[in-house]
Every structure is written in structure tokens, then in C-alpha cells.
């Protein structure tokens, strides 16, 4: 698991927004308008090219379904080195 990425079933048309924040609320990663299940669109645990220290991060993902409906998912992830 070298990359935090959005996994989705075929019913998801587009990831409209993928955000990751540190515990102080600073945005450490942002990506938008991409197809899910692509590791090239994920977060590699770095900020400005530097490896971040192990910690807990919060993520927010907004997806668009094939029928046009949108939904937000949120949670946390632990970065381990």
C-alpha cells in the first residue's frame, strides 16, 4: 500500500474531489475530476516532495455515480513508515 487511492465499483463515473488533511486541518493532498481505481491519482504520503511523518490523516472523497447522483465519503487513514 504505497499509495492512498480511491477504489470504487463500476457504478462510479468520476471522483469529483479527493482531499487529505493532517490533524491540524492543513490540506496535504488534493485531486479532482478523475476516474477511480487509478494509483496514479492517489497520495503517496508526501507533502511538497518530502515524506511525511507517521500520523493520522483525514480524507474526504466526493464521487459521482453513473446516474448523476453524488455522494461524500469521509474517514481517517494512518500513515505508517
Amino acid at each position: 500500500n504505497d499509495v492512498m487511492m480511491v477504489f470504487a465499483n463500476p457504478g462510479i463515473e468520476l471522483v469529483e474531489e479527493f482531499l487529505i488533511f493532517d490533524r491540524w486541518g492543513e490540506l496535504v493532498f488534493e485531486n479532482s475530476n478523475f476516474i477511480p481505481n487509478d494509483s496514479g491519482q492517489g497520495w503517496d504520503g508526501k507533502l511538497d516532495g518530502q515524506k511525511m511523518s507517521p500520523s493520522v490523516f483525514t480524507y474526504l472523497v466526493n464521487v459521482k455515480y453513473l446516474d448523476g447522483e453524488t455522494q461524500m465519503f469521509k474517514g481517517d487513514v494512518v500513515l505508517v513508515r
Side-chain angles (χ1 to χ4, degrees), residues 8-50:
N9 66 37
I12 303 292
E13 177 181 356
L14 185 71
V15 178
E16 293 183 333
E17 192 172 42
F18 180 29
L19 307 172
I20 299 178
F21 301 90
D22 66 15
R23 62 179 167 171
W24 297 281
E26 178 184 358
L27 182 65
V28 298
F29 178 79
E30 178 178 26
N31 198 354
S32 59
N33 299 317
F34 62 92
I35 305 299
N37 305 317
D38 180 355
S39 64
Q41 302 295 327
W43 179 53
D44 61 3
K46 296 179 182 176
L47 176 62
D48 298 327
Q50 301 293 318

Side-chain angles (χ1 to χ4, degrees), residues 51-65:
K51 289 183 178 180
M52 298 197 71
S53 298
S55 189
V56 177
F57 295 85
T58 301
Y59 67 86
L60 209 71
V61 178
N62 288 309
V63 299
K64 180 179 178 185
Y65 291 93

